[in-house]
Amino acid sequence: MKKKRSIRKLLLVGFWLCVAAGTMVLLVAAMNAQNNKTCKGYAISLKGKSDQWFLDKKDVTAILVSQGGVKGKPIKEFDLRKMENQLKNNVWVKDAELFFDNSRVLQVRIEERVPVARLFTATGNSFYIDSSGERLPLSDKFSARLPVFTGFPSEKDKLKGADSVLIRDIVNISNYLLHDDFWMAQVSQIDVQADRTFEFIPVVGNHIIQFGDGTDYEKKFRRLLLFYQQVLSKTGMDVYQKLNVRYARQVIGVKRT
């Protein structure tokens, strides 16, 4: 009995091995048949912020064409990894994915970098940064409405140490402003001081907001809003020369003399 059971097991294993081998042969044959066919065309999908595009489908098409054409080209001649890397070389491309669908159409999916702030350096140069702190050039196609920071101390593309911390603080403050309609409308620009702290220049009111660094930025904005609601709404926006929120649990107002 044991011998018969062993034989049955061996036959069963052999059967499934044959099935697996046959399936693999069919898959390889299908892949070879697909590779021998030609590309019917391409479809480009851009993911980013819907109301602003620094990269358009014409830019992506130009990159694809530079790789030797697309439509009518044998699928086996496409080096999709190389094409993805070529697309990622564009500073506005955060990620790229290319693949052929069942209709032999090349699907090109691009995730665009989204700027969160515009910076002016101490020497007057200007650029955008995205949420990862990546430096992005200005564009002739679109001018984004973003928080503006002046006096940024470095011209380097790759930042380290204190400059890297400063960029992180800028990203955090910018994201807060972009998600708060009141402060986005109220803050005209943000000046970076020599000690890497921030001073806000408001749109309404003849005062300066001494914000400090990016530590506890959410709490600082909340304290500042309460001061606007409970004090400035009664005294007027021009009574104070400076508002200081650098210190925990307080707003220090310096009246105009």
Side-chain angles (χ1 to χ4, degrees), residues 2 4 35 51 70 89 102-104 155 166 168 170 181 195 217 221 237:
K2 291 183 178 180
K4 288 183 179 180
N35 287 336
D51 61 344
V70 178
N89 285 336
N102 293 331
S103 300
R104 306 202 309 273
E155 299 286 346
L166 179 59
R168 183 195 63 200
I170 289 174
D181 292 339
D195 60 355
Y217 64 95
F221 274 114
M237 300 294 284

Side-chain angles (χ1 to χ4, degrees), residues 137-204:
L138 301 183
S139 173
D140 295 332
K141 296 179 182 179
F142 189 86
S143 180
R145 181 176 177 269
L146 298 169
V148 174
F149 291 77
T150 62
F152 188 75
S154 178
E155 299 286 346
K156 297 178 181 179
D157 291 337
K158 302 297 181 181
L159 302 175
K160 297 180 180 180
D163 290 335
S164 179
V165 173
L166 179 59
I167 280 288
R168 183 195 63 200
D169 287 345
I170 289 174
V171 168
N172 288 337
I173 291 172
S174 293
N175 278 324
Y176 190 96
L177 294 174
L178 289 169
H179 290 87
D180 189 296
D181 292 339
F182 173 76
W183 287 117
M184 188 61 190
Q186 172 63 353
V187 176
S188 173
Q189 72 181 54
I190 302 170
D191 296 331
V192 180
Q193 305 301 300
D195 60 355
R196 290 176 167 77
T197 59
F198 304 104
E199 285 192 356
F200 293 7
I201 309 299
V203 173
V204 179

